[in-house]
Amino acid sequence: MAGRAASKVLSGARVVLPTGTVENGRVIIEGTRIAGAAPADTPALDLSGHWIVPGFVDMHVHGGGGASFTSGTAEDVLKGVQTHREHGTTTIAASTVTGEMDVLTRQAALLSELVQQGDLAGIHFEGPFISPCRKGAHSEDLLRDPDPAEVRKLIDAAHGTAKMVTLATELPGGIDSVRLLAEHGVIAAIGHTDATYEQTIEAIDAGATVATHLYNAMPALGHRTPGPIAALLEDERVTVELINDGTHLHPAALELAYHRAGSARVAFITDAMDAAGFGDGTYLLGPLEVEVKDGVARLAEGGSIAGSTLTLDTAFKRAVTVDRLPVEDVVRSVSANPARLLGVDDRVGSLEPGKDADLVVLDADFTLKGVMRKGAWVIEP
């Protein structure tokens, strides 16, 4: 008969639960899961002066640690996953970038195997169904209109692991593609779009529920032509992604989005590429060359921002210390909300008995000191 799973108790920290923050709290772990009680003789790790928050969930990330989720081997993908785990992201959906359809379907097959193994939580397809006017760091030669048959081809290639597809819904086939995605339980995300306010409302009514990196790669908010930003912020059905690295968004723009949408409708993402957790240098994002200087990634040709080098521990710390957002609200945006959108909130995204023991230990200044995934320390505090 198998022996009882070893219990652990983490005590003395401020613990952020779905109901609020508990001072001098305790988190009990049994095996890979959070437990409600522990044997009386279980040793406790004293984490006084620290915070314990749920493991972070990133629903939009392209790579890290010098490795790409888009063009890499399984070994590359796992290297990127490990890099983000070391920064507190215990759950990851791998994002692709625009490429030839056969390349994307091959990569989807590889990524889907890693989802089945439990290393990834799903696949996010960003492109090729996006606007050439708002392409950002995507190759214009490879863009195409969102033909529902081709969208279906990508979903099928993911063997049930596709979680989200970013579309310019104003393009021919866009609304039909949104309906197709909704029917298949895949998030239709509006992004890299040149849509009007009215066109955006039409897409939301058809079933779109996420704004891909709000503000970035879409028309600016105007007082006569409010564009997609106003439509996405005002609709209770939409969750908005925000890249909180201080480069992609002015703090006032982040505050506007946060206070208009509320903490229940914001998901902090990294949109990170290979250089995250790795350093400055020259990289490839899909077929395009990217120069990373002082931690900012830009296309070598044209200078467009090309994803980020952000990790979610940095986004968390910035949200609390620079943006002055309540810790509990930031936890929703960095863990609970993306977990819900990815359909994995029965297992991760909050500290509750029965869920995976995925957590992050932060010091009083919100600097990462420890990471646990499924009851095992990735970084021991």
Side-chain angles (χ1 to χ4, degrees):
M1 191 170 94
R4 182 185 176 90
S7 296
K8 300 184 185 83
V9 175
L10 312 180
S11 67
R14 301 169 101 179
V15 181
V16 182
L17 303 175
T19 50
T21 298
V22 176
E23 302 285 342
N24 193 23
R26 284 176 13 125
V27 178
I28 300 164
I29 296 117
E30 191 168 309
T32 64
R33 295 183 183 277
I34 297 169
D41 59 349
T42 304
L45 175 62
D46 183 6
L47 290 172
S48 300
H50 291 74
W51 293 81
I52 298 176
V53 300
F56 308 145
V57 180
D58 198 344
M59 57 189 274
H60 185 160
V61 52
H62 299 275
S68 168
F69 297 158
T70 299
S71 54
T73 62
E75 186 180 17
D76 289 331
V77 175
L78 292 174
K79 182 180 176 187
V81 167
Q82 182 63 21
T83 296
H84 285 281
R85 278 185 193 161
E86 289 167 4
H87 290 274
T89 302
T90 50
T91 302
I92 284 178
S95 301
T96 64
V97 294
T98 295
E100 298 281 6
M101 287 295 288
D102 60 340
V103 172
L104 289 172
T105 54
R106 277 201 306 275
Q107 196 64 12
L110 181 150
L111 293 171
S112 71
E113 290 179 18
L114 297 176
V115 178
Q116 305 295 349
Q117 290 174 24
D119 297 300
L120 296 171
I123 304 171
H124 162 221
F125 294 101
E126 187 178 21
F129 311 115
I130 60 175
S131 171
C133 307
R134 305 284 173 178
K135 64 183 184 296
H138 291 255
S139 177
E140 187 165 354
D141 297 346
L142 299 172
L143 300 182
R144 57 186 67 213
D145 290 339
D147 176 350
E150 293 204 311
V151 174
R152 177 66 191 267
K153 186 177 176 184
L154 278 190
I155 299 173
D156 289 347
H159 303 300
T161 66
K163 295 288 186 179
M164 183 162 68
V165 178
T166 293
L167 307 154
T169 53
E170 76 279 7
L171 295 174
I175 298 300
D176 287 340
S177 294
V178 169
R179 292 195 184 104
L180 172 85
L181 290 166
E183 285 166 12
H184 285 82
V186 178
I187 296 166
I190 299 173
H192 289 276
T193 177
D194 205 38
T196 63
Y197 175 84
E198 293 75 16
Q199 287 172 325
T200 306
I201 289 173
E202 184 186 6
I204 297 167
D205 286 341
T209 56
V210 165
T212 293
H213 43 54
L214 187 77
Y215 296 111
N216 297 113
M218 59 181 65
L221 184 64
H223 64 292
R224 290 196 186 92
T225 52
I229 294 169
L232 294 161
L233 278 177
E234 72 186 11
D235 199 299
E236 295 296 320
R237 295 170 290 182
V238 176
T239 300
V240 298
E241 295 181 347
L242 297 175
I243 308 171
N244 193 19
D245 62 354
T247 297
H248 280 78
L249 299 175
H250 189 282
L254 182 130
E255 183 182 26
L256 172 67
Y258 213 91
H259 289 287
R260 180 62 185 91
S263 64
R265 292 207 292 121
V266 171
F268 282 137
I269 59 159
T270 62
D271 193 21
M273 43 79 74
D274 313 17
F278 201 66
D280 290 356
T282 302
Y283 298 85
L284 284 176
L285 186 60
L288 303 179
E289 189 172 289
V290 175
E291 294 284 351
V292 178
K293 185 177 180 183
D294 299 328
V296 178
R298 294 185 179 274
L299 288 183
E301 189 175 324
S304 177
I305 292 179
S308 83
T309 61
L310 185 64
T311 51
L312 281 179
D313 58 330
T314 300
F316 189 109
K317 182 173 181 173
R318 182 180 174 85
V320 177
T321 61
V322 177
D323 304 308
R324 302 293 179 187
L325 297 172
V327 175
E328 295 83 0
D329 287 357
V330 178
V331 166
R332 280 186 209 109
S333 296
V334 85
S335 300
N337 296 343
R340 170 178 51 80
L341 288 162
L342 293 173
V344 293
D345 54 329
D346 59 326
R347 293 186 288 107
V348 300
S350 60
L351 300 175
E352 296 176 87
K355 291 196 175 184
D356 289 351
D358 290 4
L359 57 85
V360 176
V361 179
L362 306 166
D363 68 12
D365 296 323
F366 299 98
T367 299
L368 183 143
K369 293 296 177 183
V371 182
M372 177 181 283
R373 184 172 187 271
K374 297 196 177 199
W377 290 112
V378 178
I379 294 175
E380 191 163 355

